[in-house]
Amino acid sequence: MRLRYQLEWLDSGQPRHELAPGRYLLGRGGRSDLVFDVPGVSREHAEVLICADRGLLVRDLGSTNGTFVDGERITEGAWSGDITLDLGSVRLHLRERGGLDALVLALDASATASPAATDAPPTAAPTAVRNLLRELQQAVDEARPLDACVWPAPALSNLLQRWCEHSGATLLRVQCGATGDVLAQVGTPSEAELVVLAECGNWQLAGQVLAGAGYALAHAGEELLRWALPAAPAATSAHAPVTSSQDWPGLASAAPAMRAMLEPLARVATANLPVLLLGETGVGKELTAHWIHRRSPRRDGPFLAFNCAALPRDLLEAELFGVERGAATGVEARPGLFEQAHGGSLFLDEVGDTAPETQVRLLRALEDGRLVRVGGRKPVVVDVRVIAATNRDLESEVAADRFRLDLYHRLAGHVARIPPLRERAEDIAPLALHFFRQALARSGRRSAGISAAALLALQNWHWPGNVRELRQAIERAVVLLDEGQALDRSHLPQAMRNEPAPGVDALRMDHALQRAERDALIAALTIAGGDHERAWALLGIGKTSFYKKLREHGLGRGGPAA
């Protein structure tokens, strides 16, 4: 069982409660899971939902004296991190746990168990192991990048260096078990045996360690690999098995439309086939291109991105193909992006905006891997995988003779359409919370979380600017927050928080029921973090009815087979 929160009744002397993911009813009696039989607490006062991934939701159940989070009265809202919860005269402190915190708690609990109940008891004293686990946890917190979804190799190396200092290990490395490729390593190998301490998927933490530190490093390493695996550059070979459809490193999504796009793309990424990404502005084409590169055999080579609509034709060709010395007065030789990306991947955004003359040169470079610099005569051989993207309908452009058919076929080795955010309603709340945590980390602010009203407003917006618009809306809202304040509907852009005045049709009972049904679906998806099975269980309906309702209300594609 993974512990997520510790609940402490302040100034009471009562024991603390360790809360696993799930729903808890707080009150003076009745059906309450946690009972506080003191004045000011209603019989069924509030409900707390501990999320499986991170954070919690708190809902007041119509109590007489109200429910307060960090001193502010709430009806319902979502928070991450530690909070203070006031129910009448009861003051509770909920401390978020996870990762190594849970390991320390598990070790504390097992310290009183008999040796037979422990699979691999530590060779060091339990207190020493607990202290080491806490030191390893602190090192993780200090080394974690600002972008919590990205653990590049330098950050991992920094963390491994700290772990070596704390544990006395002479060597630690993160490696791919399938290929032996080393992602990060610190220390100098000795004649001692290299031991695999922890494994997760194809990833391994291996090292040369002291016997007393192996237990703590093994447990901490397993948690580390869970975080590094979805974000670090993939260390799988072209022949390694593709990760399951439930794991899209860097592109986590609960939307069936997004998963249907990613599943074949994950297989194509391991080859050298050109990829053409289609989608509206702001859907994340460059992020997807980078993800393809990280999963490809070229992952150790450069990844360069360029917007073909950013420059006029002459400058564009010089940027792509380079310039030969003497092409113009005072001009020195300069390699273009194709040469700079040799051995790696080149992402060409808005490729549909290129001029016919540039299309000819692109075609030549793609056909035989040769190009001629502007003003030059000697061909230059390049080895580059091109990932192109556009928000245009290239087939229509070809039919209108504005885009070359032969170039289209060269670029479209595999075509993937990235669905707009309005077709991925399940992803709106998780993305908003992700951008919210990123913005708070960069600004150094503290916040009580995002209110349910704000999440509902985000779910109801039609997102013409897609994921980019969502990120900008959250970053703008965080700038407007006071210290410790929750992000509410009032912090969102005016267009998102405006609710049209109800017309006569809105008074009809069938329309009101439809609105209530849609809001219930959105709330369930938000609470469930996009997990459909949890959402239909929360709603108390079956799988078939759930997907039927999603289709009726335009919330995603409505079912795995859709």
Side-chain angles (χ1 to χ4, degrees):
M1 178 175 64
R2 178 164 293 187
L3 303 173
R4 283 299 177 193
Y5 269 88
Q6 180 188 79
L7 182 146
E8 180 181 4
W9 184 353
L10 301 178
D11 303 323
S12 71
Q14 296 293 321
R16 298 172 179 176
H17 295 274
E18 305 297 343
L19 305 182
R23 188 182 303 275
Y24 299 88
L25 195 63
L26 282 62
R28 189 165 43 84
R31 299 175 297 125
S32 298
D33 302 299
L34 299 173
V35 178
F36 306 95
D37 191 9
V38 295
V41 178
S42 298
R43 184 174 177 80
E44 294 180 358
H45 196 111
E47 183 180 55
V48 174
L49 177 68
I50 307 296
C51 299
D53 48 2
R54 187 181 179 189
L56 77 169
L57 291 94
V58 181
R59 181 163 67 97
D60 183 78
L61 298 178
S63 63
T64 302
N65 295 309
T67 299
F68 295 79
V69 174
D70 292 335
E72 183 175 344
R73 185 163 187 166
I74 60 100
T75 301
E76 184 176 10
W79 289 266
S80 63
D82 299 357
I83 67 168
T84 300
L85 180 64
D86 289 291
L87 314 175
S89 60
V90 172
R91 169 158 287 191
L92 306 172
H93 180 70
L94 285 98
R95 178 190 175 200
E96 187 170 27
R97 291 194 178 277
L100 301 182
D101 261 340
L103 293 174
V104 173
L105 284 171
L107 189 61
D108 284 339
S110 66
T112 58
S114 63
T118 307
D119 292 335
T123 57
T127 300
V129 176
R130 285 196 295 272
N131 290 341
L132 178 56
L133 275 171
R134 292 190 174 96
E135 290 175 344
L136 299 182
Q137 178 191 10
Q138 184 178 355
V140 170
D141 294 338
E142 293 172 353
R144 187 190 303 275
L146 283 181
D147 185 343
C149 284
V150 177
W151 274 84
L156 285 172
S157 297
N158 182 24
L159 176 62
L160 295 182
Q161 180 63 47
R162 293 168 186 246
W163 280 12
C164 282
E165 294 169 359
H166 288 305
S167 66
T170 57
L171 174 73
L172 285 176
R173 69 165 59 154
V174 174
Q175 62 188 21
C176 176
T179 66
D181 293 343
V182 176
L183 176 61
Q185 175 176 306
V186 297
T188 304
S190 66
E191 296 181 358
E193 180 185 2
L194 184 68
V195 178
V196 175
L197 300 165
E199 292 188 80
C200 183
N202 283 330
W203 294 100
Q204 297 176 339
L205 175 69
Q208 296 171 338
V209 302
L210 300 175
Y215 184 84
L217 282 169
H219 283 74
E222 184 178 350
E223 287 295 325
L224 171 67
L225 297 181
R226 293 181 193 279
W227 304 328
L229 184 64
T236 55
S237 70
H239 305 289
V242 179
T243 55
S244 84
S245 60
Q246 303 300 312
D247 178 24
W248 308 118
L251 291 173
S253 174
M258 193 71 172
R259 289 178 175 272
M261 183 274 294
L262 286 169
E263 186 167 355
L265 191 59
R267 301 180 185 277
V268 170
T270 61
N272 279 316
L273 200 65
V275 176
L276 177 62
L277 302 175
L278 305 178
E280 299 176 6
T281 299
V283 293
K285 294 189 286 292
E286 183 172 345
L287 175 64
T288 305
H290 209 153
W291 176 77
I292 293 170
H293 172 74
R294 293 202 307 268
R295 295 179 64 92
S296 77
R298 299 170 175 268
R299 59 188 172 273
D300 294 326
F303 174 86
L304 301 179
F306 183 72
N307 189 322
C308 296
L311 295 173
R313 182 180 68 85
D314 292 342
L315 294 178
L316 172 63
E317 293 190 3
E319 193 70 24
L320 289 175
F321 307 114
V323 179
E324 198 60 82
R325 182 178 181 181
T329 304
V331 172
E332 295 295 325
R334 176 169 59 86
L337 292 173
F338 269 91
E339 291 181 67
Q340 295 175 48
H342 182 75
S345 305
L346 177 59
F347 174 58
L348 298 179
D349 199 6
E350 306 301 349
V351 72
D353 291 8
T354 52
E357 299 84 355
T358 306
Q359 293 178 28
V360 173
R361 300 193 67 162
L362 272 175
L363 178 63
R364 187 174 298 122
L366 291 171
E367 282 184 330
D368 59 11
R370 295 172 181 269
L371 59 87
V372 177
R373 292 179 178 178
V374 175
R377 295 182 180 180
K378 182 180 179 181
V380 179
V381 177
V382 292
D383 175 23
V384 176
R385 182 188 197 174
V386 171
I387 305 170
T390 182
N391 57 12
R392 293 176 180 262
D393 182 348
L394 281 192
E395 292 185 350
S396 298
E397 295 293 300
V398 169
D401 291 329
R402 290 189 292 267
F403 199 85
R404 295 181 62 97
L405 178 61
D406 46 7
L407 177 58
Y408 172 77
H409 287 307
R410 280 291 176 182
L411 294 172
H414 176 80
V415 179
R417 176 186 173 272
I418 304 175
L421 191 55
R422 62 181 174 275
E423 295 179 9
R424 301 159 48 192
E426 303 93 330
D427 290 344
I428 293 174
L431 282 171
L433 291 168
H434 170 65
F435 295 145
F436 179 65
R437 288 193 289 266
Q438 280 187 330
L440 288 177
R442 283 194 297 269
S443 65
R445 294 170 182 259
R446 292 185 66 256
S447 171
I450 303 180
S451 72
L455 287 175
L456 190 60
L458 295 175
Q459 292 279 10
N460 286 327
W461 185 240
H462 56 284
W463 300 110
N466 291 293
V467 179
R468 183 182 296 133
E469 182 185 9
L470 173 60
R471 181 171 195 155
Q472 290 172 346
I474 295 297
E475 289 176 346
R476 171 190 178 275
V478 169
V479 170
L480 299 176
L481 292 179
D482 293 329
E483 184 67 19
Q485 185 182 21
L487 191 158
D488 201 3
R489 183 194 297 268
S490 61
H491 299 109
L492 299 175
Q494 184 74 31
M496 294 180 192
R497 65 176 186 262
N498 271 353
E499 295 183 348
V504 176
D505 285 347
L507 300 177
R508 289 171 51 93
M509 184 60 70
D510 56 344
H511 290 183
L513 289 173
Q514 287 175 4
R515 290 196 302 275
E517 195 172 75
R518 188 176 193 275
D519 289 349
L521 286 165
I522 290 172
L525 286 167
T526 301
I527 291 172
D531 185 318
H532 284 189
E533 188 171 349
R534 286 182 60 204
W536 75 59
L538 289 171
L539 292 166
I541 61 177
K543 176 180 179 180
T544 303
S545 298
F546 175 76
Y547 284 122
K548 180 182 177 183
K549 294 299 182 184
L550 285 187
R551 288 193 294 269
E552 289 177 358
H553 293 283
L555 300 173
R557 294 298 181 91

